[in-house]
């Protein structure tokens, strides 16, 4: 049984999903007791619960998000707590989910919808690119669409075909959308709350291979604004630019690099659109070298935009070309071969060696 | 979403003959073909007639302006006035309309000014009116996508326990799109207060109905979604009004969606860039003159003695005034601010867009300088 099978058959324990209820996670801590360990999945669940409680216009719907609590249990227990009119299962149709969310938002609701798996968002491509992204613009700001589309995305969980895509380049290439991806539980909570409060549509990419990564976090938590990048680890020799699932890869590479005497700075982009030129630029000016890491295929990918922006703006501070460490230009491979596709820390360090410093 | 009101769909398919209340000679239809729907009163028919005459005069003016190059394009609904006007007339003020690019006269009938409507076709901005002020969504160019928006809005209204109904137009071609299916299905499952009006004008640009669908009628599809469907003579404004009004009332009462097919005909080309002689015989189009929707209700009102010389003169004067106002407005050159293209993409300013805005501003400033220098 693959990890994905375990998730889909609901064996949360073996799948590593936190079985503690968010209410326990949110319980007031005893004085001086350490903050509880919270997973990204748990933090997202808590963010949805708190958003539903804070604003009666927030609704959650999509495939299997009701009594089941979502295939990844991100909406666990919300249906029971908030009822059928706030959290409900939709028919199985992604264009319908996005299209009806648009109409709901026109009437004042703030829908948070789930695409279940990355590649399952493609049937909704027209609604997202032709309507969701453009409605504000075509109506001169008279119609706003405060909709969050949660997309469990990318690989690393042994998913079968169509369950491991990285679709960020499609969304970031679409003006009108905000595209963000958290990499840790604190950001997962804070960024989702901020995304739900945003008056603009937000594509919220959840790195599914990191759903069960835990940190000690006291919720609710407010981290940096979701449109800003954050320096997670300071260094002087090279800047690694990562987001979502590859942040862990970058931090791992930084540790391995340190063993070799390399001082690696890791920037978690957090927001893919808008791009935080300021934070990235400051880092690159300090280190003179930059590499971007993502799981999506390289050609025409998001890394190309990052490399171009950094080159255009920091050319005279750069000592070497901006590198891309990415997936190959192939459809995402089968579960037993994905380890050969996904960027690793070793692959990152090998790429940095091509600079010959 | 709770489906607390579950009303069983009618057990039979829609009637094979389209529902009619007035025939081509203007006489009231009796018997099974009325499907139990009652003739609207004379005042209502007079009001519908007046709005149809205004709409036709408006479109004639706009088509002329398009041929003069004042508008980028215009998809005429000549011949479809009964479907358009009856549907809008059946709505209450709090209801929402989700139109397609061809449903301009529906906007006009709902009170949007010609300039606000036509700025879209003139090319000033994608939507020239305030959707919230008029409760009309932007005219949708992608096919059937707006039907899902209608379902969503109606569902939100239901959740808020408002008595708002959403009506969306679809064309025969757009029923082949996946979003049409999803909209019908979502609306029925959620028992959303929605009315789907399919204007079957027989052509999707150049493709005739026979190559679009093998369904006997598009109204037949309703039963497969678990909602009532009605097959209506779309050139009979009385029948369209009676059926759409019943569907709106049904939705408002909490009994869910209805699918209505109005059988009609697009007399003009798809748009001014289309050549209909390549795909249909002119004799076919001419044959539909006998089914003209305005002519039919005019005969009926004449028989009833409602169309006095004074009434005719009043409507004619109103139509000419509308055409004149439209012509005058469209002959003015709009003042557009190129920099506004950056202003409505996001709710808050973005550094990258501000940079591009400054770039264009600088370019415009230099263009002005060069032009001034050349002059």
């Amino acid at each position: 049984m693959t990890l994905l099978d375990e998730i889909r058959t609901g064996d949360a324990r073996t799948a590593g999903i936190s079985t503690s209820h968010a209410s326990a996670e949110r319980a007031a801590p005893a004085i001086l007791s350490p903050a509880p360990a919270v997973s990204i999945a748990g933090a997202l669940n808590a963010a949805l619960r708190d958003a539903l409680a804070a604003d009666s216009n927030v609704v959650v719907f999509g495939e299997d998000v009701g009594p089941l609590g979502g295939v990844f249990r991100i909406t666990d227990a919300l249906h029971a707590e908030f009822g059928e009119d706030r959290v409900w299962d939709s028919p199985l149709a992604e264009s319908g989910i996005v299209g009806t969310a648009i109409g709901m938002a026109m009437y004042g609701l703030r829908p948070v919808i789930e695409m279940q798996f990355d590649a399952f968002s493609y049937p909704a491509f027209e609604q997202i690119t032709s309507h969701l992204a453009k409605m504000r613009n075509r109506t001169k700001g008279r119609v706003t669409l405060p909709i969050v589309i949660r997309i469990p995305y990318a690989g690393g969980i042994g998913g079968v075909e169509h369950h491991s895509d990285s679709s960020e380049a499609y969304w970031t290439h679409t003006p009108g959308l905000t595209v963000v991806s958290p990499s840790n539980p604190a950001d997962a909570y804070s960024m989702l709350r901020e995304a739900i409060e945003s008056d603009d549509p937000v594509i919220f990419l959840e790195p599914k291979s990191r759903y069960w990564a835990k940190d000690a976090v006291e919720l609710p938590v407010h981290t940096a604004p979701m449109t800003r990048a954050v320096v997670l680890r300071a260094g002087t020799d090279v800047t690694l630019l990562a987001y979502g699932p590859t942040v862990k890869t970058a931090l791992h590479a930084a540790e391995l690099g340190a063993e070799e005497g390399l001082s690696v700075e890791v920037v978690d982009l957090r927001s893919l659109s808008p791009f935080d030129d300021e934070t990235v630029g400051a880092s690159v000016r300090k280190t003179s070298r930059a590499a971007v890491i993502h799981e999506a295929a390289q050609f025409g990918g998001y890394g190309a935009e990052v490399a171009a922006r950094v080159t255009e703006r920091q050319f005279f501070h750069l000592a070497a070309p901006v590198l891309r460490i990415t997936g190959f230009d192939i459809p995402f491979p089968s579960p037993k071969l994905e380890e050969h596709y996904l960027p690793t820390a070793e692959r990152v360090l090998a790429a940095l060696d091509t600079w010959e410093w | 979403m709770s489906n607390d009101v579950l009303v069983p769909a009618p057990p039979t398919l829609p009637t094979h003959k389209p529902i009619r209340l007035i025939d081509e000679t203007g006489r009231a239809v009796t018997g099974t073909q009325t499907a139990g729907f009652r003739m609207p009163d004379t005042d209502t028919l007079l009001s519908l007639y007046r709005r149809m005459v205004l709409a036709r005069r408006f479109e004639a003016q706009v088509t002329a302006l398009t041929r003069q190059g004042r508008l980028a394009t215009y998809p005429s609904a000549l011949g479809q006035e009964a479907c358009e006007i009856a549907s809008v007339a059946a709505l209450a003020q709090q209801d929402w309309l989700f139109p397609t690019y061809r449903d301009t006269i529906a906007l006009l009938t709902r009170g949007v000014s010609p300039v606000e409507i036509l700025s879209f076709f003139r090319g000033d901005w994608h939507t020239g009116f305030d959707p919230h002020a008029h409760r009309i969504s932007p005219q949708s160019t992608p096919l059937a996508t707006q039907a899902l928006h209608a379902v969503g809005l109606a569902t939100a209204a239901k959740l808020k326990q408002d008595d708002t109904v959403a009506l969306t137009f679809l064309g025969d071609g757009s029923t082949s799109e996946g979003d049409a299916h999803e909209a019908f299905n979502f609306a029925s499952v959620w028992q959303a207060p929605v009315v789907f009006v399919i204007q079957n004008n027989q052509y999707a640009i150049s493709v005739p109905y026979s190559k679009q669908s093998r369904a006997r009628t598009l109204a037949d599809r309703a039963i497969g979604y678990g909602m009532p469907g009605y097959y209506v003579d779309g050139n009979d404004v009385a029948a369209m009004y009676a059926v759409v009004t019943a569907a709106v009332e049904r939705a408002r009462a909490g009994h869910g969606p209805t699918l209505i097919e109005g059988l009609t005909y697009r007399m003009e080309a798809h748009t001014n860039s289309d050549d209909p002689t390549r795909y249909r015989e002119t004799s076919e189009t001419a044959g539909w003159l006998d089914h003209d929707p305005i002519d039919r209700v005019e005969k009926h009102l004449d028989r009833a003695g409602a169309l006095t010389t004074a009434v005719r003169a009043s409507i004619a004067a109103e139509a000419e005034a509308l055409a004149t106002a439209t012509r005058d407005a469209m002959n003015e050159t709009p003042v557009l601010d190129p920099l506004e293209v950056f202003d409505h993409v996001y709710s808050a300013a973005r550094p990258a867009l501000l940079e591009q805005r400054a770039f264009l501003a600088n370019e415009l400033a230099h263009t002005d300088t060069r032009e001034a220098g050349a002059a």
Side-chain angles (χ1 to χ4, degrees):
Chain A
M1 183 182 267
T2 67
L3 188 57
L4 183 64
D5 291 334
E6 289 165 8
I7 296 159
R8 301 203 83 165
T9 53
D11 192 342
R13 184 176 46 78
T14 55
I17 297 173
S18 170
T19 51
S20 64
H21 287 291
S23 56
E25 290 167 11
R26 288 187 304 148
I31 293 168
L32 296 179
S33 72
V38 178
S39 66
I40 288 182
L44 294 169
N45 181 263
L48 289 171
R49 177 175 288 104
D50 291 352
L52 283 159
D55 183 350
S56 63
N57 284 318
V58 174
V59 294
V60 172
F61 71 100
E63 297 153 11
D64 305 298
V65 301
L68 178 68
V71 293
F72 292 105
R73 306 292 181 271
I74 306 304
T75 55
D76 189 31
L78 300 179
H79 178 265
E81 189 171 339
F82 293 95
E84 178 73 8
D85 285 351
R86 301 289 306 283
V87 180
W88 72 90
D89 286 326
S90 71
L92 200 161
E94 291 77 12
S95 188
I97 293 167
V98 176
T100 54
I102 288 171
M104 290 179 206
M106 289 176 77
Y107 205 75
L109 296 184
R110 303 181 88 86
V112 184
I113 54 179
E114 181 179 295
M115 290 287 101
Q116 197 160 89
F117 281 93
D118 32 58
F120 297 174
S121 66
Y122 301 155
F125 192 83
E126 182 183 23
Q127 285 288 352
I128 296 172
T129 55
S130 291
H131 289 297
L132 182 66
K134 292 177 179 172
M135 188 68 85
R136 180 182 186 88
N137 187 249
R138 64 206 284 225
T139 62
K140 286 196 175 181
R142 289 154 173 157
V143 178
T144 59
L145 297 178
I147 294 170
V148 178
I149 303 182
R150 295 181 35 247
I151 306 181
Y153 97 111
I157 65 161
V160 294
E161 200 179 16
H162 313 300
H163 289 70
S164 301
D165 279 25
S166 295
S167 53
E168 63 268 31
Y170 304 130
W171 315 129
T172 55
H173 191 62
T174 305
L177 300 177
T178 298
V179 185
V180 301
S181 184
S183 71
N184 59 68
D187 274 349
Y189 179 91
S190 183
M191 290 166 72
L192 184 52
R193 289 297 304 273
E194 192 180 339
I196 295 169
E197 283 168 15
S198 169
D199 283 336
D200 297 321
V202 178
I203 304 291
F204 198 88
L205 300 171
E206 299 173 0
K208 64 174 96 81
S209 64
R210 303 290 296 151
Y211 266 146
W212 310 288
K214 288 186 178 181
D215 277 341
V217 183
E218 198 68 60
L219 298 179
V221 64
H222 287 279
T223 62
M226 70 173 179
T227 53
R228 299 307 301 258
V230 167
V231 178
L232 286 186
R233 176 185 172 119
T236 54
D237 292 338
V238 57
T239 297
L240 291 182
L241 301 167
Y243 52 90
T246 60
V247 170
K248 186 195 174 200
T249 313
L251 289 170
H252 187 202
E255 281 171 27
L256 294 179
E259 291 169 12
E260 298 174 12
L262 204 58
S263 175
V264 177
E265 180 146 308
V266 175
V267 176
D268 182 352
L269 292 179
R270 300 167 85 250
S271 175
L272 280 60
S273 176
F275 184 81
D276 184 355
D277 289 296
E278 199 180 326
T279 303
V280 171
S283 177
V284 172
R285 285 194 295 278
K286 186 172 77 170
T287 62
S288 307
R289 287 177 167 84
V292 56
I293 313 168
H294 62 59
E295 288 190 17
Q298 185 168 93
F299 191 87
Y302 187 69
E305 175 64 31
V306 174
R309 291 185 86 82
V310 171
T311 304
E312 283 173 354
R313 288 154 199 257
Q314 313 299 339
F315 184 70
F316 294 106
H317 298 278
L318 284 170
V322 178
L323 297 180
R324 291 172 288 168
I325 301 100
T326 69
F328 301 126
D329 293 334
I330 58 170
F332 197 90
S334 299
K336 287 184 177 171
L337 297 172
E338 71 172 337
E339 63 177 303
H340 303 294
Y341 172 92
L342 294 169
T344 59
E346 291 76 12
R347 200 174 280 171
V348 172
L349 288 175
L352 302 192
D353 282 343
T354 65
W355 281 327
E356 298 180 351
W357 299 91
Chain B
M1 184 73 39
S2 56
N3 299 332
D4 43 359
V5 185
L6 277 175
V7 174
T12 56
L13 289 166
T15 55
H16 194 182
K17 278 191 166 183
I19 298 166
R20 307 179 100 184
L21 296 178
I22 300 175
D23 70 16
E24 278 85 356
T25 65
R27 286 189 176 84
V29 174
T30 55
T32 55
Q33 217 176 329
T34 66
F37 288 99
R38 284 173 43 200
M39 181 78 80
D41 62 45
T42 304
D43 282 351
T44 302
L45 289 177
L46 193 58
S47 165
L48 292 168
Y49 166 76
R50 177 185 144 267
R51 297 195 227 185
M52 288 165 74
V53 171
L54 293 180
R56 181 165 293 184
R57 182 67 189 90
F58 172 80
E59 288 214 313
Q61 181 60 68
V62 173
T63 299
L65 287 165
T66 307
R67 288 185 181 135
Q68 294 162 20
R70 290 283 174 189
L71 304 176
T73 188
Y74 187 75
S76 163
L78 180 67
Q80 301 179 214
E81 291 90 348
C83 288
E84 300 270 355
I85 275 100
S87 298
V88 172
L91 296 177
Q93 200 186 356
Q94 76 269 25
D95 298 334
W96 272 75
L97 174 69
F98 289 79
T100 76
Y101 55 85
R102 195 177 301 285
D103 306 318
T104 306
I105 56 175
L107 275 67
L108 182 78
T109 305
R110 205 162 155 77
V112 189
S113 76
V115 173
E116 283 184 305
I117 295 172
L118 294 175
S119 69
F120 172 41
F121 297 106
R122 182 162 62 179
D124 308 354
W125 201 269
H126 297 309
T127 301
F129 61 92
D130 181 349
H132 285 293
H134 298 282
R135 295 183 187 82
I136 303 173
S137 80
Q139 286 181 268
S140 189
T141 308
L143 300 179
T145 50
Q146 83 287 351
L148 281 165
H149 306 167
V151 176
L153 184 134
T155 300
K158 181 183 170 186
L159 288 172
K160 287 174 179 277
Q161 299 182 327
D162 293 344
D163 64 350
T164 303
V165 173
L167 185 146
T168 182
F169 285 120
L170 296 152
D172 42 309
S174 77
T175 63
S176 298
E177 294 277 4
D179 274 9
H181 159 71
E182 295 190 21
F184 300 154
N185 190 48
F186 272 63
S188 187
V189 171
W190 290 351
Q191 287 291 288
V194 178
V195 179
F196 299 103
V197 176
I198 300 170
Q199 298 189 63
N200 182 354
N201 70 11
Q202 328 249 351
Y203 287 92
I205 303 188
S206 69
V207 179
Y209 181 76
S210 60
K211 290 187 178 178
Q212 196 68 244
S213 173
R214 291 281 294 201
R216 187 190 58 162
T217 78
L218 292 170
D220 278 0
R221 295 188 176 184
I223 200 162
Y225 294 100
M227 64 176 151
Y230 295 99
Y231 183 49
V232 187
D233 182 337
N235 283 11
D236 176 359
V237 75
M240 280 301 296
Y241 180 79
V243 176
V244 177
T245 298
V248 169
E249 284 172 1
R250 183 176 182 276
R252 207 184 305 287
H255 301 317
T258 303
L259 179 67
I260 298 163
E261 176 184 2
L263 189 67
T264 184
Y265 192 82
R266 168 183 20 102
M267 299 298 286
E268 292 272 326
H270 167 63
T271 67
N272 55 318
S273 53
D274 175 35
D275 177 10
T277 63
R278 283 171 173 259
Y279 57 83
R280 65 186 187 189
E281 300 293 332
T282 48
S283 59
E284 177 189 297
T285 309
W288 276 85
L289 289 171
D290 296 337
H291 303 273
D292 185 80
I294 297 180
D295 187 41
R296 193 185 308 188
V297 71
E298 186 173 313
K299 284 176 181 164
H300 180 81
L301 288 168
D302 241 351
R303 286 175 184 282
L307 275 184
T308 61
T309 311
V311 168
R312 283 179 190 275
S314 163
I315 293 173
E318 199 181 348
E320 283 313 307
L322 174 63
T324 304
T326 303
R327 191 166 59 238
D328 289 350
M330 287 300 110
N331 281 335
E332 284 175 15
T333 305
V335 180
L336 303 176
D337 176 7
L339 297 179
E340 200 181 359
V341 297
F342 297 101
D343 294 349
H344 309 294
V345 185
Y346 297 98
S347 58
R350 284 197 170 186
L353 283 193
L354 291 177
E355 275 179 34
Q356 292 176 5
R357 191 180 195 280
F359 173 85
L360 180 57
N362 184 48
E363 206 171 68
L364 289 168
H366 284 84
T367 306
D368 291 347
T369 307
R370 279 200 300 272
E371 283 175 357

